[in-house]
Amino acid sequence: MRAYRMIAAMWIRSTMTYRASFAMTTFGNFAATFFDFIAILLMFSQVDELGGYRLPEIAFLYGISGIAFGVADLAIGSMDRLGRRVRDGTLDTLLVRPVPVLAQVAADKFALRRLGRITQGAFVLGYALTTLDLDWTPLKVLMIPMMVLSGGLVFGAVFVAGAAFQFVAQDASEVQNAFTYGGATLLQYPPSLFGKDLVRGVTFVLPLAFVNWVPALYVLGRPYPLDLPEWLAFAPPLVGAGACALAGLAWRAGLRTYRSTGS
Amino acid sequence: MGTGRLYVAVAAGGFRRYATYRVATAAGVFTNTVFGFILAYTYTALWQEKPHLGGYDQAEALTYVWVGQAMFAVMVLGSNGFEEELIERIRTGDIAIDLYRPADLQLWWLAADSGRALFQLLGRGLAPVGAGALFFDLALPSSPVRWAAFLVAVALGMVVSFAIRYIVALAAFWLLDGSGATQITWLTGVFFSGMLLPLNVFPGALGDLARLLPWSSLLQAPADVLLGKADPLGTYAFQAGWAVVLLGIGRAVQSAATRRVVIQGG
């Protein structure tokens, strides 16, 4: 953790050299995701419901997904550069340092500008919380930080597993985007929009549904499309920890297969 | 070597260069297909709620989704165009070597980018549309004339896309670090090309404005030509007009940059 903090701090200092560019990229991060939400607002300028859900409910799903993904992206979003390091051999420099490789790769090019994404998600969540008409209980209120944190763990596991995959397929960093960015986009919409098989896939195989769908539908008082027991809404911390453990194993397996390039 | 042949060779080089990355291409196809599925489901819900939204029926709207995924890499609506390399050359000062070449800087990069776009069209465009056609009911035209008209609109859109990115890349002469500028261009492009939602669905004045901006040449215009929603000749005139204006601006920025800015390390 100490190594991670030091490398991250170094990258923050380095990006602050080009302050104008830092301001622009942070705003860019904010705006990039903001346009996503504008697209949803534009849809709702034409219709009142999407898949049976109204705008505040979708904003709730969107906000949680956005913040959880943003947290993982801020912490270890640079993991997708691993393939490049394997290809050009610069991973070797990380292997000889007396610091865990995972911490070094995770903190590599640490980009504070990614706070833009979290901020945007927080705005949308704020809008959702002020417009939702719900019977709030203390339990439901506590669910929100729980979802953000365990959602961050789930997305973090996807980042690590994706990086482990890049040990094998070096040029395949885009596959990772399908699960990270694609997953975050998927979770912005209610599960009722998607085919049963897709919902099953992201519930039981790649547990993205535990970032927001399963717990959020409990908060919103809506049934989950697969008839899951209600207590599963409280499972995200376990699912997040389990996903991280599996991703950690995948990472170690990937690292073991690594053969340096060159002579 | 005649100048025409020089640029053809540069374009062929651009094509071959991207063709080398087979795993990356396959990964890109996979990602475009995943996003195509997500969008196709949301569009289905939207068009079920409001059929004939934006003048499209559901099959046409789904066709639009998959054409959009095919255009994503061609029009550089994400990253990975020539601009990152050009910015890097400006930053390191290697641009000085390019300026001494007996070739026009803008035409050189246009040729290289055309080769790239052609590869992306074949490598990353066909497969997602095929996957979409397999799982959804699409409204792809059977007339070869319509497909040919579509390809002309794609080619013109590609020139507009290049012209925009060329101007942005040259801004690096003043900004030194171009990542902020490219990012803002990228997201404006995604929004105003109609990648997130067809511009015909944008309400009122925002929709009118979006259809007049150059980015509508990148996706909305070719898609409407393919779906038979737009007159090809009028569309070409619109795209060519923007191409001429933007290439002209790029040329003006280029001469200002080479005259006034001191090359780093020089």
Side-chain angles (χ1 to χ4, degrees), chain B residues 149-194:
Chain B
F150 167 69
L151 288 178
V152 174
V154 170
L156 284 167
M158 187 256 132
V159 177
V160 174
S161 158
F162 165 81
I164 296 170
R165 288 176 288 125
Y166 190 72
I167 298 170
V168 174
L170 288 187
F173 271 109
W174 289 274
L175 292 173
L176 299 182
D177 177 43
S179 54
T182 43
Q183 195 189 14
I184 286 175
T185 322
W186 162 69
L187 65 97
T188 323
V190 168
F191 189 71
F192 285 111
S193 64

mmCIF file of all heavy atoms in Angstrom, chain B residues 149-194:
data_model
loop_
_atom_site.group_PDB
_atom_site.id
_atom_site.type_symbol
_atom_site.label_atom_id
_atom_site.label_comp_id
_atom_site.label_asym_id
_atom_site.label_seq_id
_atom_site.Cartn_x
_atom_site.Cartn_y
_atom_site.Cartn_z
ATOM 1 N N ALA B 149 -23.690 3.942 -52.425
ATOM 2 C CA ALA B 149 -23.943 5.318 -51.977
ATOM 3 C C ALA B 149 -23.485 5.482 -50.529
ATOM 4 O O ALA B 149 -22.901 6.501 -50.147
ATOM 5 C CB ALA B 149 -25.420 5.641 -52.111
ATOM 6 N N PHE B 150 -23.721 4.448 -49.718
ATOM 7 C CA PHE B 150 -23.313 4.447 -48.310
ATOM 8 C C PHE B 150 -21.790 4.560 -48.202
ATOM 9 O O PHE B 150 -21.263 5.368 -47.431
ATOM 10 C CB PHE B 150 -23.838 3.171 -47.656
ATOM 11 C CG PHE B 150 -23.235 2.872 -46.301
ATOM 12 C CD1 PHE B 150 -23.521 3.666 -45.201
ATOM 13 C CD2 PHE B 150 -22.410 1.760 -46.133
ATOM 14 C CE1 PHE B 150 -22.982 3.373 -43.954
ATOM 15 C CE2 PHE B 150 -21.865 1.460 -44.889
ATOM 16 C CZ PHE B 150 -22.150 2.271 -43.808
ATOM 17 N N LEU B 151 -21.087 3.777 -49.034
ATOM 18 C CA LEU B 151 -19.628 3.788 -48.949
ATOM 19 C C LEU B 151 -19.041 5.152 -49.318
ATOM 20 O O LEU B 151 -18.048 5.585 -48.724
ATOM 21 C CB LEU B 151 -19.033 2.688 -49.836
ATOM 22 C CG LEU B 151 -19.246 1.265 -49.308
ATOM 23 C CD1 LEU B 151 -18.678 0.235 -50.273
ATOM 24 C CD2 LEU B 151 -18.615 1.101 -47.917
ATOM 25 N N VAL B 152 -19.676 5.844 -50.292
ATOM 26 C CA VAL B 152 -19.209 7.192 -50.650
ATOM 27 C C VAL B 152 -19.386 8.117 -49.438
ATOM 28 O O VAL B 152 -18.483 8.887 -49.080
ATOM 29 C CB VAL B 152 -19.969 7.740 -51.877
ATOM 30 C CG1 VAL B 152 -19.580 9.194 -52.138
ATOM 31 C CG2 VAL B 152 -19.691 6.886 -53.094
ATOM 32 N N ALA B 153 -20.527 8.007 -48.768
ATOM 33 C CA ALA B 153 -20.776 8.844 -47.588
ATOM 34 C C ALA B 153 -19.788 8.515 -46.469
ATOM 35 O O ALA B 153 -19.345 9.407 -45.736
ATOM 36 C CB ALA B 153 -22.211 8.662 -47.101
ATOM 37 N N VAL B 154 -19.427 7.235 -46.348
ATOM 38 C CA VAL B 154 -18.432 6.842 -45.334
ATOM 39 C C VAL B 154 -17.091 7.483 -45.661
ATOM 40 O O VAL B 154 -16.406 8.036 -44.785
ATOM 41 C CB VAL B 154 -18.293 5.305 -45.258
ATOM 42 C CG1 VAL B 154 -17.101 4.903 -44.404
ATOM 43 C CG2 VAL B 154 -19.565 4.692 -44.703
ATOM 44 N N ALA B 155 -16.702 7.437 -46.954
ATOM 45 C CA ALA B 155 -15.415 8.008 -47.356
ATOM 46 C C ALA B 155 -15.373 9.507 -47.066
ATOM 47 O O ALA B 155 -14.388 10.019 -46.515
ATOM 48 C CB ALA B 155 -15.169 7.739 -48.836
ATOM 49 N N LEU B 156 -16.463 10.207 -47.398
ATOM 50 C CA LEU B 156 -16.493 11.645 -47.138
ATOM 51 C C LEU B 156 -16.465 11.922 -45.628
ATOM 52 O O LEU B 156 -15.794 12.844 -45.162
ATOM 53 C CB LEU B 156 -17.740 12.269 -47.770
ATOM 54 C CG LEU B 156 -17.662 12.454 -49.301
ATOM 55 C CD1 LEU B 156 -19.034 12.777 -49.871
ATOM 56 C CD2 LEU B 156 -16.676 13.571 -49.646
ATOM 57 N N GLY B 157 -17.198 11.107 -44.872
ATOM 58 C CA GLY B 157 -17.218 11.270 -43.421
ATOM 59 C C GLY B 157 -15.833 11.073 -42.832
ATOM 60 O O GLY B 157 -15.419 11.776 -41.904
ATOM 61 N N MET B 158 -15.102 10.125 -43.405
ATOM 62 C CA MET B 158 -13.754 9.864 -42.929
ATOM 63 C C MET B 158 -12.840 11.079 -43.145
ATOM 64 O O MET B 158 -12.016 11.404 -42.280
ATOM 65 C CB MET B 158 -13.245 8.627 -43.685
ATOM 66 C CG MET B 158 -11.953 8.105 -43.233
ATOM 67 S SD MET B 158 -10.758 8.631 -44.454
ATOM 68 C CE MET B 158 -9.505 9.280 -43.418
ATOM 69 N N VAL B 159 -13.014 11.762 -44.288
ATOM 70 C CA VAL B 159 -12.205 12.956 -44.547
ATOM 71 C C VAL B 159 -12.556 14.055 -43.528
ATOM 72 O O VAL B 159 -11.662 14.725 -42.987
ATOM 73 C CB VAL B 159 -12.401 13.477 -45.999
ATOM 74 C CG1 VAL B 159 -11.601 14.754 -46.212
ATOM 75 C CG2 VAL B 159 -11.995 12.419 -46.997
ATOM 76 N N VAL B 160 -13.852 14.211 -43.234
ATOM 77 C CA VAL B 160 -14.251 15.207 -42.235
ATOM 78 C C VAL B 160 -13.648 14.858 -40.876
ATOM 79 O O VAL B 160 -13.098 15.722 -40.183
ATOM 80 C CB VAL B 160 -15.797 15.300 -42.129
ATOM 81 C CG1 VAL B 160 -16.211 16.216 -40.987
ATOM 82 C CG2 VAL B 160 -16.389 15.789 -43.443
ATOM 83 N N SER B 161 -13.723 13.581 -40.515
ATOM 84 C CA SER B 161 -13.162 13.135 -39.239
ATOM 85 C C SER B 161 -11.667 13.445 -39.185
ATOM 86 O O SER B 161 -11.158 13.969 -38.189
ATOM 87 C CB SER B 161 -13.397 11.625 -39.082
ATOM 88 O OG SER B 161 -12.484 11.070 -38.177
ATOM 89 N N PHE B 162 -10.957 13.148 -40.292
ATOM 90 C CA PHE B 162 -9.529 13.454 -40.346
ATOM 91 C C PHE B 162 -9.294 14.950 -40.153
ATOM 92 O O PHE B 162 -8.437 15.359 -39.364
ATOM 93 C CB PHE B 162 -8.927 13.009 -41.691
ATOM 94 C CG PHE B 162 -7.574 13.620 -41.930
ATOM 95 C CD1 PHE B 162 -6.450 13.070 -41.351
ATOM 96 C CD2 PHE B 162 -7.436 14.784 -42.683
ATOM 97 C CE1 PHE B 162 -5.208 13.660 -41.528
ATOM 98 C CE2 PHE B 162 -6.200 15.383 -42.868
ATOM 99 C CZ PHE B 162 -5.081 14.822 -42.283
ATOM 100 N N ALA B 163 -10.057 15.767 -40.889
ATOM 101 C CA ALA B 163 -9.825 17.216 -40.886
ATOM 102 C C ALA B 163 -9.991 17.790 -39.478
ATOM 103 O O ALA B 163 -9.217 18.644 -39.050
ATOM 104 C CB ALA B 163 -10.780 17.896 -41.863
ATOM 105 N N ILE B 164 -10.977 17.291 -38.735
ATOM 106 C CA ILE B 164 -11.182 17.761 -37.360
ATOM 107 C C ILE B 164 -9.974 17.394 -36.500
ATOM 108 O O ILE B 164 -9.399 18.212 -35.795
ATOM 109 C CB ILE B 164 -12.459 17.140 -36.746
ATOM 110 C CG1 ILE B 164 -13.703 17.607 -37.499
ATOM 111 C CG2 ILE B 164 -12.569 17.487 -35.259
ATOM 112 C CD1 ILE B 164 -14.970 16.865 -37.116
ATOM 113 N N ARG B 165 -9.550 16.127 -36.587
ATOM 114 C CA ARG B 165 -8.468 15.654 -35.726
ATOM 115 C C ARG B 165 -7.135 16.291 -36.092
ATOM 116 O O ARG B 165 -6.276 16.472 -35.235
ATOM 117 C CB ARG B 165 -8.386 14.122 -35.785
ATOM 118 C CG ARG B 165 -9.555 13.471 -35.051
ATOM 119 C CD ARG B 165 -9.546 11.972 -35.181
ATOM 120 N NE ARG B 165 -9.914 11.537 -36.515
ATOM 121 C CZ ARG B 165 -9.174 10.746 -37.269
ATOM 122 N NH1 ARG B 165 -8.010 10.295 -36.813
ATOM 123 N NH2 ARG B 165 -9.557 10.377 -38.473
ATOM 124 N N TYR B 166 -6.997 16.665 -37.367
ATOM 125 C CA TYR B 166 -5.758 17.321 -37.785
ATOM 126 C C TYR B 166 -5.617 18.686 -37.108
ATOM 127 O O TYR B 166 -4.551 19.037 -36.608
ATOM 128 C CB TYR B 166 -5.739 17.458 -39.308
ATOM 129 C CG TYR B 166 -4.397 17.913 -39.856
ATOM 130 C CD1 TYR B 166 -3.313 17.049 -39.867
ATOM 131 C CD2 TYR B 166 -4.236 19.197 -40.352
ATOM 132 C CE1 TYR B 166 -2.090 17.461 -40.362
ATOM 133 C CE2 TYR B 166 -3.013 19.618 -40.858
ATOM 134 C CZ TYR B 166 -1.936 18.737 -40.856
ATOM 135 O OH TYR B 166 -0.729 19.153 -41.340
ATOM 136 N N ILE B 167 -6.704 19.431 -37.089
ATOM 137 C CA ILE B 167 -6.679 20.744 -36.427
ATOM 138 C C ILE B 167 -6.330 20.571 -34.943
ATOM 139 O O ILE B 167 -5.486 21.281 -34.393
ATOM 140 C CB ILE B 167 -8.042 21.458 -36.564
ATOM 141 C CG1 ILE B 167 -8.358 21.718 -38.040
ATOM 142 C CG2 ILE B 167 -8.075 22.763 -35.773
ATOM 143 C CD1 ILE B 167 -9.778 22.188 -38.287
ATOM 144 N N VAL B 168 -6.973 19.599 -34.300
ATOM 145 C CA VAL B 168 -6.750 19.370 -32.870
ATOM 146 C C VAL B 168 -5.303 18.970 -32.608
ATOM 147 O O VAL B 168 -4.663 19.466 -31.672
ATOM 148 C CB VAL B 168 -7.711 18.287 -32.339
ATOM 149 C CG1 VAL B 168 -7.389 17.951 -30.904
ATOM 150 C CG2 VAL B 168 -9.148 18.742 -32.475
ATOM 151 N N ALA B 169 -4.768 18.106 -33.467
ATOM 152 C CA ALA B 169 -3.383 17.652 -33.272
ATOM 153 C C ALA B 169 -2.431 18.836 -33.384
ATOM 154 O O ALA B 169 -1.488 18.959 -32.592
ATOM 155 C CB ALA B 169 -3.043 16.582 -34.294
ATOM 156 N N LEU B 170 -2.683 19.720 -34.341
ATOM 157 C CA LEU B 170 -1.780 20.855 -34.516
ATOM 158 C C LEU B 170 -1.847 21.824 -33.336
ATOM 159 O O LEU B 170 -0.903 22.575 -33.090
ATOM 160 C CB LEU B 170 -2.096 21.597 -35.813
ATOM 161 C CG LEU B 170 -1.708 20.872 -37.111
ATOM 162 C CD1 LEU B 170 -1.925 21.773 -38.293
ATOM 163 C CD2 LEU B 170 -0.275 20.382 -37.085
ATOM 164 N N ALA B 171 -2.942 21.796 -32.593
ATOM 165 C CA ALA B 171 -3.035 22.646 -31.407
ATOM 166 C C ALA B 171 -1.925 22.316 -30.421
ATOM 167 O O ALA B 171 -1.565 23.136 -29.576
ATOM 168 C CB ALA B 171 -4.405 22.486 -30.748
ATOM 169 N N ALA B 172 -1.345 21.129 -30.550
ATOM 170 C CA ALA B 172 -0.254 20.723 -29.655
ATOM 171 C C ALA B 172 0.967 21.621 -29.810
ATOM 172 O O ALA B 172 1.800 21.708 -28.917
ATOM 173 C CB ALA B 172 0.137 19.270 -29.918
ATOM 174 N N PHE B 173 1.082 22.315 -30.959
ATOM 175 C CA PHE B 173 2.176 23.263 -31.120
ATOM 176 C C PHE B 173 2.109 24.335 -30.029
ATOM 177 O O PHE B 173 3.121 24.868 -29.616
ATOM 178 C CB PHE B 173 2.086 23.946 -32.493
ATOM 179 C CG PHE B 173 2.807 23.206 -33.581
ATOM 180 C CD1 PHE B 173 2.109 22.551 -34.578
ATOM 181 C CD2 PHE B 173 4.198 23.167 -33.601
ATOM 182 C CE1 PHE B 173 2.782 21.877 -35.592
ATOM 183 C CE2 PHE B 173 4.873 22.495 -34.611
ATOM 184 C CZ PHE B 173 4.157 21.856 -35.604
ATOM 185 N N TRP B 174 0.900 24.657 -29.612
ATOM 186 C CA TRP B 174 0.748 25.694 -28.592
ATOM 187 C C TRP B 174 0.545 25.093 -27.197
ATOM 188 O O TRP B 174 1.011 25.614 -26.212
ATOM 189 C CB TRP B 174 -0.446 26.598 -28.935
ATOM 190 C CG TRP B 174 -0.164 27.480 -30.115
ATOM 191 C CD1 TRP B 174 0.447 28.707 -30.094
ATOM 192 C CD2 TRP B 174 -0.441 27.205 -31.485
ATOM 193 N NE1 TRP B 174 0.556 29.196 -31.369
ATOM 194 C CE2 TRP B 174 0.023 28.312 -32.246
ATOM 195 C CE3 TRP B 174 -1.031 26.128 -32.162
ATOM 196 C CZ2 TRP B 174 -0.101 28.374 -33.631
ATOM 197 C CZ3 TRP B 174 -1.150 26.192 -33.532
ATOM 198 C CH2 TRP B 174 -0.686 27.305 -34.260
ATOM 199 N N LEU B 175 -0.190 23.951 -27.137
ATOM 200 C CA LEU B 175 -0.532 23.381 -25.825
ATOM 201 C C LEU B 175 0.560 22.476 -25.267
ATOM 202 O O LEU B 175 0.585 22.204 -24.081
ATOM 203 C CB LEU B 175 -1.825 22.559 -25.931
ATOM 204 C CG LEU B 175 -3.109 23.334 -26.216
ATOM 205 C CD1 LEU B 175 -4.251 22.353 -26.448
ATOM 206 C CD2 LEU B 175 -3.452 24.255 -25.058
ATOM 207 N N LEU B 176 1.419 21.957 -26.154
ATOM 208 C CA LEU B 176 2.480 20.999 -25.814
ATOM 209 C C LEU B 176 1.942 19.640 -25.397
ATOM 210 O O LEU B 176 2.360 18.619 -25.889
ATOM 211 C CB LEU B 176 3.410 21.547 -24.727
ATOM 212 C CG LEU B 176 4.137 22.821 -25.136
ATOM 213 C CD1 LEU B 176 5.077 23.275 -24.035
ATOM 214 C CD2 LEU B 176 4.898 22.637 -26.435
ATOM 215 N N ASP B 177 0.991 19.606 -24.493
ATOM 216 C CA ASP B 177 0.399 18.326 -24.122
ATOM 217 C C ASP B 177 -1.005 18.292 -24.705
ATOM 218 O O ASP B 177 -1.843 19.096 -24.330
ATOM 219 C CB ASP B 177 0.356 18.176 -22.599
ATOM 220 C CG ASP B 177 -0.329 16.886 -22.191
ATOM 221 O OD1 ASP B 177 -0.046 15.857 -22.826
ATOM 222 O OD2 ASP B 177 -1.145 16.905 -21.272
ATOM 223 N N GLY B 178 -1.244 17.390 -25.639
ATOM 224 C CA GLY B 178 -2.504 17.430 -26.381
ATOM 225 C C GLY B 178 -3.602 16.549 -25.824
ATOM 226 O O GLY B 178 -4.680 16.474 -26.401
ATOM 227 N N SER B 179 -3.355 15.872 -24.657
ATOM 228 C CA SER B 179 -4.337 14.861 -24.247
ATOM 229 C C SER B 179 -5.687 15.473 -23.877
ATOM 230 O O SER B 179 -6.727 14.887 -24.159
ATOM 231 C CB SER B 179 -3.781 14.029 -23.093
ATOM 232 O OG SER B 179 -3.357 14.866 -22.047
ATOM 233 N N GLY B 180 -5.675 16.672 -23.278
ATOM 234 C CA GLY B 180 -6.941 17.317 -22.937
ATOM 235 C C GLY B 180 -7.742 17.662 -24.181
ATOM 236 O O GLY B 180 -8.939 17.383 -24.272
ATOM 237 N N ALA B 181 -7.051 18.235 -25.158
ATOM 238 C CA ALA B 181 -7.735 18.645 -26.382
ATOM 239 C C ALA B 181 -8.290 17.441 -27.137
ATOM 240 O O ALA B 181 -9.438 17.458 -27.598
ATOM 241 C CB ALA B 181 -6.773 19.425 -27.274
ATOM 242 N N THR B 182 -7.496 16.344 -27.220
ATOM 243 C CA THR B 182 -8.016 15.181 -27.946
ATOM 244 C C THR B 182 -9.198 14.568 -27.215
ATOM 245 O O THR B 182 -10.143 14.110 -27.841
ATOM 246 C CB THR B 182 -6.948 14.076 -28.129
ATOM 247 O OG1 THR B 182 -6.244 13.920 -26.907
ATOM 248 C CG2 THR B 182 -5.981 14.405 -29.227
ATOM 249 N N GLN B 183 -9.135 14.596 -25.889
ATOM 250 C CA GLN B 183 -10.244 14.001 -25.147
ATOM 251 C C GLN B 183 -11.549 14.760 -25.369
ATOM 252 O O GLN B 183 -12.605 14.164 -25.573
ATOM 253 C CB GLN B 183 -9.900 13.977 -23.660
ATOM 254 C CG GLN B 183 -10.813 13.067 -22.898
ATOM 255 C CD GLN B 183 -10.622 13.212 -21.408
ATOM 256 O OE1 GLN B 183 -10.006 14.155 -20.949
ATOM 257 N NE2 GLN B 183 -11.167 12.292 -20.668
ATOM 258 N N ILE B 184 -11.446 16.095 -25.358
ATOM 259 C CA ILE B 184 -12.654 16.895 -25.548
ATOM 260 C C ILE B 184 -13.187 16.713 -26.971
ATOM 261 O O ILE B 184 -14.398 16.574 -27.184
ATOM 262 C CB ILE B 184 -12.383 18.372 -25.190
ATOM 263 C CG1 ILE B 184 -12.283 18.491 -23.664
ATOM 264 C CG2 ILE B 184 -13.482 19.288 -25.730
ATOM 265 C CD1 ILE B 184 -11.897 19.830 -23.136
ATOM 266 N N THR B 185 -12.283 16.613 -27.942
ATOM 267 C CA THR B 185 -12.724 16.352 -29.319
ATOM 268 C C THR B 185 -13.430 15.016 -29.415
ATOM 269 O O THR B 185 -14.452 14.866 -30.082
ATOM 270 C CB THR B 185 -11.518 16.242 -30.271
ATOM 271 O OG1 THR B 185 -10.562 17.188 -29.884
ATOM 272 C CG2 THR B 185 -11.924 16.431 -31.689
ATOM 273 N N TRP B 186 -12.833 14.032 -28.732
ATOM 274 C CA TRP B 186 -13.379 12.684 -28.792
ATOM 275 C C TRP B 186 -14.819 12.657 -28.266
ATOM 276 O O TRP B 186 -15.720 12.109 -28.873
ATOM 277 C CB TRP B 186 -12.466 11.749 -27.991
ATOM 278 C CG TRP B 186 -13.088 10.460 -27.608
ATOM 279 C CD1 TRP B 186 -13.416 9.447 -28.458
ATOM 280 C CD2 TRP B 186 -13.493 10.061 -26.311
ATOM 281 N NE1 TRP B 186 -13.991 8.432 -27.755
ATOM 282 C CE2 TRP B 186 -14.055 8.771 -26.441
ATOM 283 C CE3 TRP B 186 -13.433 10.634 -25.039
ATOM 284 C CZ2 TRP B 186 -14.549 8.069 -25.351
ATOM 285 C CZ3 TRP B 186 -13.920 9.933 -23.961
ATOM 286 C CH2 TRP B 186 -14.469 8.668 -24.119
ATOM 287 N N LEU B 187 -15.033 13.317 -27.119
ATOM 288 C CA LEU B 187 -16.380 13.193 -26.554
ATOM 289 C C LEU B 187 -17.391 14.069 -27.284
ATOM 290 O O LEU B 187 -18.561 13.693 -27.415
ATOM 291 C CB LEU B 187 -16.368 13.456 -25.052
ATOM 292 C CG LEU B 187 -16.014 14.821 -24.524
ATOM 293 C CD1 LEU B 187 -17.296 15.585 -24.247
ATOM 294 C CD2 LEU B 187 -15.236 14.659 -23.245
ATOM 295 N N THR B 188 -16.953 15.208 -27.814
ATOM 296 C CA THR B 188 -17.864 16.007 -28.646
ATOM 297 C C THR B 188 -18.264 15.168 -29.857
ATOM 298 O O THR B 188 -19.420 15.166 -30.270
ATOM 299 C CB THR B 188 -17.148 17.275 -29.162
ATOM 300 O OG1 THR B 188 -16.295 17.762 -28.160
ATOM 301 C CG2 THR B 188 -18.131 18.346 -29.538
ATOM 302 N N GLY B 189 -17.274 14.458 -30.411
ATOM 303 C CA GLY B 189 -17.531 13.621 -31.575
ATOM 304 C C GLY B 189 -18.543 12.533 -31.273
ATOM 305 O O GLY B 189 -19.483 12.315 -32.043
ATOM 306 N N VAL B 190 -18.367 11.847 -30.138
ATOM 307 C CA VAL B 190 -19.292 10.767 -29.787
ATOM 308 C C VAL B 190 -20.716 11.304 -29.656
ATOM 309 O O VAL B 190 -21.672 10.721 -30.163
ATOM 310 C CB VAL B 190 -18.862 10.076 -28.472
ATOM 311 C CG1 VAL B 190 -19.961 9.177 -27.949
ATOM 312 C CG2 VAL B 190 -17.604 9.263 -28.700
ATOM 313 N N PHE B 191 -20.840 12.456 -29.030
ATOM 314 C CA PHE B 191 -22.179 12.996 -28.789
ATOM 315 C C PHE B 191 -22.815 13.524 -30.068
ATOM 316 O O PHE B 191 -23.950 13.180 -30.404
ATOM 317 C CB PHE B 191 -22.110 14.104 -27.737
ATOM 318 C CG PHE B 191 -23.465 14.563 -27.266
ATOM 319 C CD1 PHE B 191 -24.237 13.742 -26.465
ATOM 320 C CD2 PHE B 191 -23.960 15.798 -27.634
ATOM 321 C CE1 PHE B 191 -25.483 14.149 -26.026
ATOM 322 C CE2 PHE B 191 -25.213 16.216 -27.195
ATOM 323 C CZ PHE B 191 -25.970 15.385 -26.393
ATOM 324 N N PHE B 192 -22.073 14.361 -30.815
ATOM 325 C CA PHE B 192 -22.678 15.043 -31.956
ATOM 326 C C PHE B 192 -22.644 14.233 -33.252
ATOM 327 O O PHE B 192 -23.200 14.661 -34.255
ATOM 328 C CB PHE B 192 -22.026 16.416 -32.167
ATOM 329 C CG PHE B 192 -22.472 17.433 -31.157
ATOM 330 C CD1 PHE B 192 -21.607 17.912 -30.189
ATOM 331 C CD2 PHE B 192 -23.784 17.898 -31.162
ATOM 332 C CE1 PHE B 192 -22.030 18.831 -29.252
ATOM 333 C CE2 PHE B 192 -24.213 18.814 -30.223
ATOM 334 C CZ PHE B 192 -23.331 19.287 -29.264
ATOM 335 N N SER B 193 -21.967 13.060 -33.235
ATOM 336 C CA SER B 193 -22.047 12.218 -34.420
ATOM 337 C C SER B 193 -23.325 11.388 -34.403
ATOM 338 O O SER B 193 -23.730 10.842 -35.420
ATOM 339 C CB SER B 193 -20.842 11.284 -34.485
ATOM 340 O OG SER B 193 -20.867 10.403 -33.385
ATOM 341 N N GLY B 194 -23.951 11.295 -33.217
ATOM 342 C CA GLY B 194 -25.133 10.447 -33.098
ATOM 343 C C GLY B 194 -24.792 9.058 -32.594
ATOM 344 O O GLY B 194 -25.588 8.136 -32.711
#
